[in-house]
């Protein structure tokens, strides 16, 4: 059994998206190859509602899935499939854009908005799949406690705890809280891309301390080990999924395999023929 080594760290950059939401873009165009099948990771952490209340008014997506998770705060959402609701703290949504969806995501004022949105690429054969929406409420999130660790399983499986089973790429997403001085060993599938994002507190990898809000990519192996510093707790998101190894043609909210498919998508948006379901 080989433990995976830390091979890359990514800090992300401040960005403004939607109608003026200030966020930190951790993964994006520059990291597509290394983090395949994960396209984008936006980190939200603000105590100032003016950073985010402008929200993400109605916009399209095609060819991807977006996974949103909130540790605190809330987001109202509505989409062209007729879904309408609120993501509350401790909940997640798994939105399959597939052939096309229009949605809006509107964060509401809270003491702190803490969470992320992850974009998961769809393989060529499933880019035009039917759009779908999965609300991951508290009851759907598996919870398991170990010595100094608390693991919330949003998707996939950790020990006896299971989260949702994704319909397309079976990515595993865990939210892990480690008490000061604690260490966790997480088994990983050998053929998957594995990274963690440090959402609260620094963490230690092979004796090296990595600062909060960093994404840490691992090399090949069967497990990863993450430790909290001796004097502080750590909370991180574990993310794992099998790479697609396909060409990526990315235009804003639409991610296809070729430039032609991308142009076709924008052409359909212009003509009003983009949405096939809803
Ligand atoms: Mn969106």
């Amino acid at each position: 059994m080989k433990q995976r080594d830390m091979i890359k760290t990514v800090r992300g950059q401040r960005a403004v998206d939607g109608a003026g939401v200030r966020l930190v873009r951790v993964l994006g165009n520059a990291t597509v190859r290394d983090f395949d099948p994960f396209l984008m990771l936006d980190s939200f952490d603000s105590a100032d509602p003016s950073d985010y209340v402008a929200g993400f008014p109605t916009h399209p997506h095609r060819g991807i899935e977006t996974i949103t998770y909130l540790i605190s705060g809330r987001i109202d959402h509505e989409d062209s499939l007729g879904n309408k609701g609120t993501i509350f703290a401790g909940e997640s949504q798994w939105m399959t854009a597939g052939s096309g969806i229009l949605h809006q995501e509107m964060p509401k004022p809270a003491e702190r908005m803490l969470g992320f949105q992850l974009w998961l690429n769809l393989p060529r054969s499933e880019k035009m799949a039917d759009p779908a929406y999965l609300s991951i409420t508290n009851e759907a999130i598996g919870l398991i406690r170990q010595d100094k660790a608390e693991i919330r399983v949003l998707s996939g499986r950790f020990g006896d705890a299971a989260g949702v089973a994704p319909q397309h790429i079976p990515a595993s997403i865990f939210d892990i809280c480690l008490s000061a001085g604690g260490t966790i060993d997480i088994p990983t599938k050998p053929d998957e891309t594995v990274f963690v994002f440090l959402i609260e507190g620094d963490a230690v990898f092979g004796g090296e301390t990595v600062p909060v809000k960093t994404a840490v990519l691992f090399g090949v192996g069967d497990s990863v080990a993450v430790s909290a510093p001796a004097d502080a707790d750590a909370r991180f998101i574990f993310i794992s999924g099998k790479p697609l190894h396909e060409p990526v043609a990315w235009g804003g909210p639409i991610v296809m395999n070729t430039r032609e498919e991308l142009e076709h998508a924008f052409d359909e948006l212009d003509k009003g023929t983009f949405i096939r379901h809803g």
Side-chain angles (χ1 to χ4, degrees), residues 36-162:
D36 179 18
F38 304 102
L39 296 166
M40 199 179 86
L41 179 68
D42 281 347
S43 162
F44 309 110
D45 188 357
S46 173
D48 178 1
S50 71
D51 281 343
Y52 55 77
V53 287
F56 305 89
T58 305
H59 59 279
H61 289 290
R62 172 178 285 179
I64 59 168
E65 299 186 283
T66 69
I67 299 128
T68 309
Y69 179 56
L70 284 181
I71 289 171
S72 64
R74 81 185 172 96
I75 299 177
D76 286 354
H77 68 91
E78 198 171 338
D79 69 42
S80 53
L81 293 174
N83 300 295
K84 185 179 162 79
T86 302
I87 312 170
F88 292 101
E91 296 183 345
S92 177
Q93 63 162 233
W94 195 297
M95 197 275 291
T96 304
S99 65
I101 202 166
L102 293 172
H103 75 166
Q104 60 168 328
E105 306 156 284
M106 306 300 284
K108 296 295 156 193
E111 220 164 274
R112 183 182 184 190
M113 179 174 163
L114 176 65
F116 66 84
Q117 184 171 90
L118 176 73
W119 288 17
L120 178 53
N121 204 359
L122 284 170
R124 190 190 299 272
S125 57
E126 293 168 62
K127 284 209 177 281
M128 297 302 280
D130 290 350
Y133 181 87
L134 177 61
S135 166
I136 307 178
T137 54
N138 259 305
E139 310 83 73
I141 298 176
L143 177 64
I144 188 163
R145 289 189 178 87
Q146 293 183 345
D147 179 42
K148 296 202 168 189
E150 199 172 84
I151 303 112
R152 287 178 177 76
V153 182
L154 278 64
S155 68
R157 175 171 280 281
F158 186 99
D160 293 332

